[in-house]
Amino acid sequence: LKPIVIVMSLEETLALACSASNILCYTAPLVDSIGYYRRKTTGNDASLPLVISFSASLFWLTYGLLVANNMLIRINSLAISVFTFYLMIYVVFCPSASQSRLRQELSYSAVASCVVIPAVFFVRMVDSYGATLVMGLVCNALTISVYGAPLGTLAEVIRLRNSSSMSPPLVLANWFSSLVWSVYGVVISDIFLIVPNGIGAVLCTAQCVLLLIYPRVSAEKKTS
């Protein structure tokens, strides 16, 4: 019985750590948002991580509704509200040069949501398992995209030798979250947790390396 007790204790501890890591990921952009308000600009910070995080929360909410998982519904309802707030702050303070890119990203997100989500619920009337599987795979792909989104400015970071377009709080929060969820997936033997979060851990580690190699340099310091 003792090994079983140890495994259960480890599983419960990791489940708690996973919940904490989600909260950390939701609050990490707050540091950047406060900075936007103080500087009255988003500077070089990319909008893609926020857009993808919002989209991922919307799709995970849909998955939660499909499988009737109240925890997924509650967590992702909160996430949608939080990232909507962050996007509003970004819209208010982003430079005009970033607005067209943000509109394009939001347009892609809106089109994908309006096509995929109704289609999944339509398929569900015919094949419930197939609809759930498809949405689960889409959500897993989006989870990997959330972890990899800061790499969207990889070419710019390397070219300018400046990681100012990446958010250190978000990168570190995603790194911690991907590691915790990967370990949790191994403990409960869930491949759908191991694969996306394992890939996410690798992507986030690469981002941490970039932050170390190319420190953030603000526009003010570059022009001084």
Side-chain angles (χ1 to χ4, degrees):
L1 293 177
K2 288 185 178 180
I4 297 178
V5 173
I6 293 174
V7 171
M8 289 298 294
S9 175
L10 177 60
E11 182 177 332
E12 291 172 355
T13 302
L14 285 171
L16 181 62
C18 288
S19 299
S21 71
N22 278 1
I23 295 174
L24 186 63
C25 289
Y26 298 159
T27 55
L30 181 60
V31 177
D32 295 319
S33 296
I34 294 173
Y36 301 157
Y37 178 77
R38 289 176 176 173
R39 299 190 307 267
K40 306 303 179 185
T41 179
T42 60
N44 294 327
D45 287 8
S47 57
L48 186 61
L50 295 178
V51 175
I52 292 183
S53 294
F54 173 84
S55 300
S57 301
L58 179 60
F59 277 83
W60 274 112
L61 173 62
T62 304
Y63 180 80
L65 292 171
L66 285 173
V67 299
N69 187 309
N70 290 329
M71 186 185 74
L72 283 176
I73 294 172
R74 287 195 299 267
I75 288 177
N76 289 285
S77 295
L78 173 62
I80 289 171
S81 302
V82 169
F83 282 106
T84 297
F85 170 74
Y86 292 147
L87 281 169
M88 291 173 63
I89 296 295
Y90 191 96
V91 168
V92 171
F93 296 112
C94 71
S96 55
S98 302
Q99 291 178 2
S100 59
R101 181 179 59 192
L102 176 59
R103 284 196 296 268
Q104 186 179 43
E105 292 168 357
L106 289 174
S107 297
Y108 289 151
S109 174
V111 170
S113 301
C114 291
V115 171
V116 175
I117 293 176
V120 166
F121 277 103
F122 177 77
V123 173
R124 183 171 181 262
M125 293 186 294
V126 180
D127 183 1
S128 177
Y129 174 78
T132 302
L133 178 62
V134 168
M135 182 55 71
L137 292 174
V138 170
C139 289
N140 273 262
L142 282 172
T143 297
I144 296 173
S145 298
V146 168
Y147 291 138
L151 290 175
T153 58
L154 175 62
E156 177 184 344
V157 170
I158 296 176
R159 179 173 59 85
L160 299 178
R161 297 180 176 274
N162 177 14
S163 62
S164 62
S165 59
M166 299 172 65
S167 167
L170 186 59
V171 169
L172 293 175
N174 283 339
W175 177 76
F176 175 72
S177 179
S178 61
L179 286 178
V180 172
W181 278 101
S182 296
V183 175
Y184 181 67
V186 171
V187 170
I188 66 173
S189 302
D190 190 329
I191 191 67
F192 286 107
L193 287 178
I194 297 172
V195 172
N197 290 289
I199 294 174
V202 174
L203 293 174
C204 291
T205 300
Q207 293 162 38
C208 290
V209 172
L210 284 175
L211 289 173
L212 291 173
I213 295 176
Y214 305 118
R216 288 168 65 89
V217 180
S218 64
E220 291 81 2
K221 290 182 179 179
K222 290 171 65 177
T223 55
S224 63

